[in-house]
Amino acid sequence: MTVPPRYRLSEAEKDALLAEQAALIERLAARIAELEALVGRPKKTSANSHLPPSQDGPGGKPRKTKRQRKPRPSRPGVARPLAPDPDRTERCLAETCPHCHAALSASVQRCRHRYDHIDLPEVRPVVTRVELFGGRCGQCGRRYRAGPPAAMPPGTPFGPGIRSLLAYLHHSHHVSFERLARMLNELFGLTISEGAIANAFRRMGAALDTARAAIKAKLLSASIIASDETTTRVNGVTHWQWVFHSDAAVLHTIAPSRSRAVAAAVLGEHQPEVWISDRYAGQQELGRIHQVCLTHVLRDVQYAIDCGDSVVAPKIREHLRWAIRVGKRRPSLKDSTLAAYAAKAERGLDALLGVPAAHPAGRELQRQIKAWRGKFFVFLSDRRVPPTNNGSEQEIRPSVIFRKVTNGFRSDWGPGIHAGYRSVTGTARRQGQSAWTAIQNLVGGTFAVA
């Protein structure tokens, strides 16, 4: 704006000057409102953003405690049931009467009480010395030697039971190499070095790669795939661990990038019917239809409420919670009823997006939801689709704990071993098997993807 001259202005010049001043005042008022919103903006926490609870800091608000409920009435005690097939039965017969000390016969006694005594036997490694005999052939004069047993080839002295236990304790229970060596020495009397443990894991690479290839083939036959990613550390450098899963397969992969190219490389030419993920840009346009995680959306809604929006954000929160409650009732709803609920959810959200928002946080929330419109209520039209991406969170959570305990990987082959282990155990869990059974089958060469 130019400085007004000291001499008298014409009417046209006054009008131009007033218009310029009005525009400047409007811009300054908008900037002041923006700065006031920034100054009063609350801190992002795990309750209103994607940040984990560990980053809330010491000054955060305490989590809301659950309301006090009436104490439940006491229930009768329940004892541990007797084992259906005990390994051994100890029958104790009375020899004399404890009252008159008269001799008693075994034929007149019957069982008055029984209980189980459970204990673990002493577990020690079984060492089998393999001796390969040979000599010199009497016909051709050449030396010969007998072949080794198929189950005990030469090389590493540790059998499949020990290798399975090492992998299970390290990758499922996050026991470090040093603690593994000490644990096996103190519990089983087995002396094993940290280098031998690393060699045992490295030898599993080929079997894990074969299993991951079969799991990937199973995953790419699914019509609904969910995905998520988290950070990890490889040789001190930040990498990303991705998880892709369907109802029958779980595939983990660790890559140095978080870009969309990682997911595209896994999928190849396959495009699932429905893709489930958060709203990260690298997770978009990978399926024909996209269901965004409503849990992440609700956190953004909560952040708008914390910023001060008391009109639009609370109504959007209640609407999304209502839709999730309807999704939980899907097994008992008819197709026509579910279709009516889906239409109601769409109309309700459109109406809330049309409500004038006075607070900047409410306007920003409306802008975000409009950008993702059409990806909120896919689960109300397809019963197979969940409303949230909690399944991916549950699959990747053990690896997050592994990262916090071990601080990542210190070798180039370690990430592949861990990703293969999590893929095998996650897929086996969908087949009704435990992680221990799955790793035993893998080391024994009998793991298969159903």
Side-chain angles (χ1 to χ4, degrees):
M1 184 181 68
T2 58
V3 179
R6 297 181 181 278
Y7 54 84
R8 188 177 183 85
L9 298 177
S10 64
E11 294 297 329
E13 291 173 337
K14 288 181 181 180
D15 292 340
L17 180 59
L18 290 174
E20 187 177 357
Q21 288 177 340
L24 177 61
I25 292 173
E26 184 177 357
R27 291 197 301 270
L28 292 176
R31 180 58 178 167
I32 291 172
E34 182 181 352
L35 292 176
E36 288 179 346
L38 289 174
V39 171
R41 183 174 296 178
K43 179 184 177 181
K44 286 193 173 183
T45 64
S46 59
N48 57 23
S49 69
H50 68 283
L51 294 177
S54 59
Q55 297 186 17
D56 287 346
K61 296 181 180 179
R63 292 190 174 183
K64 295 181 179 179
T65 57
K66 295 183 178 179
R67 61 184 180 87
Q68 295 293 331
R69 297 182 179 180
K70 294 182 180 180
R72 292 182 178 180
S74 60
R75 297 179 180 178
V78 179
R80 181 185 181 90
L82 296 176
D85 50 350
D87 299 292
R88 189 166 62 94
T89 301
E90 185 79 17
R91 290 183 171 85
C92 301
L93 300 175
E95 298 180 357
T96 59
C97 175
H99 307 287
C100 66
H101 305 288
L104 300 175
S105 173
S107 60
V108 298
Q109 300 184 37
R110 58 189 179 88
C111 183
R112 293 286 189 175
H113 179 62
R114 56 168 56 93
Y115 60 92
D116 285 348
H117 176 76
I118 304 174
D119 201 355
L120 289 174
E122 182 181 9
V123 181
R124 292 298 175 189
V126 178
V127 180
T128 301
R129 178 69 50 80
V130 179
E131 297 179 347
L132 306 180
F133 285 78
R136 187 182 295 274
C137 178
Q139 297 293 329
C140 64
R142 302 180 63 181
R143 295 184 180 275
Y144 62 88
R145 187 176 63 185
M152 302 177 187
T156 175
F158 305 112
I162 295 176
R163 300 198 302 271
S164 301
L165 182 63
L166 292 173
Y168 177 72
L169 292 178
H170 181 63
H171 294 283
S172 284
H173 298 280
H174 326 301
V175 182
S176 66
F177 283 17
E178 186 273 333
R179 291 173 58 203
L180 268 177
R182 182 157 48 92
M183 183 182 299
L184 266 64
N185 185 29
E186 295 177 357
L187 293 181
F188 310 129
L190 175 63
T191 302
I192 183 171
S193 65
E194 297 180 32
I197 296 175
N199 291 333
F201 289 160
R202 191 161 43 224
R203 292 188 183 96
M204 295 182 186
L208 289 172
D209 290 342
T210 303
R212 288 183 74 247
I215 292 171
K216 181 178 178 180
K218 184 68 175 180
L219 176 73
L220 297 184
S221 65
S223 58
I224 300 177
I225 297 178
S227 177
D228 198 7
E229 73 285 331
T230 187
T231 58
T232 188
R233 304 281 289 177
V234 180
N235 290 324
V237 180
T238 299
H239 282 55
W240 294 88
Q241 180 168 346
W242 293 68
V243 60
F244 308 89
H245 67 94
S246 64
D247 58 347
V250 177
L251 181 67
H252 288 256
T253 184
I254 298 178
S257 172
R258 196 191 179 193
S259 67
R260 184 178 182 273
V262 178
V266 171
L267 293 177
E269 299 297 328
H270 177 66
Q271 186 180 29
E273 181 180 345
V274 181
W275 184 263
I276 306 168
S277 71
D278 55 22
R279 290 169 292 166
Y280 167 57
Q283 295 272 15
Q284 309 312 309
E285 309 303 329
L286 293 171
R288 299 185 183 93
I289 304 174
H290 189 188
Q291 169 67 58
V292 298
C293 178
L294 293 190
T295 300
H296 287 75
V297 179
L298 285 172
R299 292 173 186 165
D300 293 340
V301 173
Q302 184 61 46
Y303 183 69
I305 295 175
D306 295 343
C307 287
D309 181 23
S310 59
V311 178
V312 176
K315 294 180 180 179
I316 294 179
R317 179 181 62 182
E318 294 306 317
H319 187 68
L320 295 180
R321 288 178 175 176
W322 166 82
I324 293 175
R325 290 195 298 269
V326 172
K328 294 179 179 179
R329 295 167 47 204
R330 286 179 299 178
S332 62
L333 297 178
K334 297 180 180 179
D335 292 340
S336 58
T337 305
L338 191 59
Y341 276 130
K344 181 179 178 181
E346 298 288 354
R347 290 194 305 268
L349 188 58
D350 288 337
L352 292 174
L353 294 179
V355 174
H359 198 279
R363 293 194 295 269
E364 175 63 19
L365 178 63
Q366 288 179 327
R367 186 195 65 80
Q368 292 180 7
I369 293 180
K370 288 178 182 178
W372 297 92
R373 196 67 186 91
K375 299 182 179 181
F376 289 87
F377 305 121
V378 177
F379 68 97
L380 292 179
S381 58
D382 193 335
R383 297 176 184 270
R384 303 170 299 170
V385 180
T388 67
N389 197 25
N390 290 342
S392 299
E393 300 279 353
Q394 294 169 358
E395 285 294 339
I396 213 166
R397 175 55 54 183
S399 294
V400 174
I401 300 175
F402 181 87
R403 179 194 69 206
K404 292 180 180 294
V405 173
T406 64
N407 199 27
F409 306 96
R410 298 175 179 84
S411 62
D412 295 331
W413 51 266
I417 299 298
H418 182 74
Y421 180 91
R422 297 306 316 174
S423 301
V424 168
T425 55
T427 302
R429 191 180 305 110
R430 278 161 166 71
Q431 301 176 7
Q433 297 180 359
S434 65
W436 172 240
T437 302
I439 196 62
Q440 281 184 307
N441 294 337
L442 177 82
V443 175
T446 59
F447 177 80
V449 180

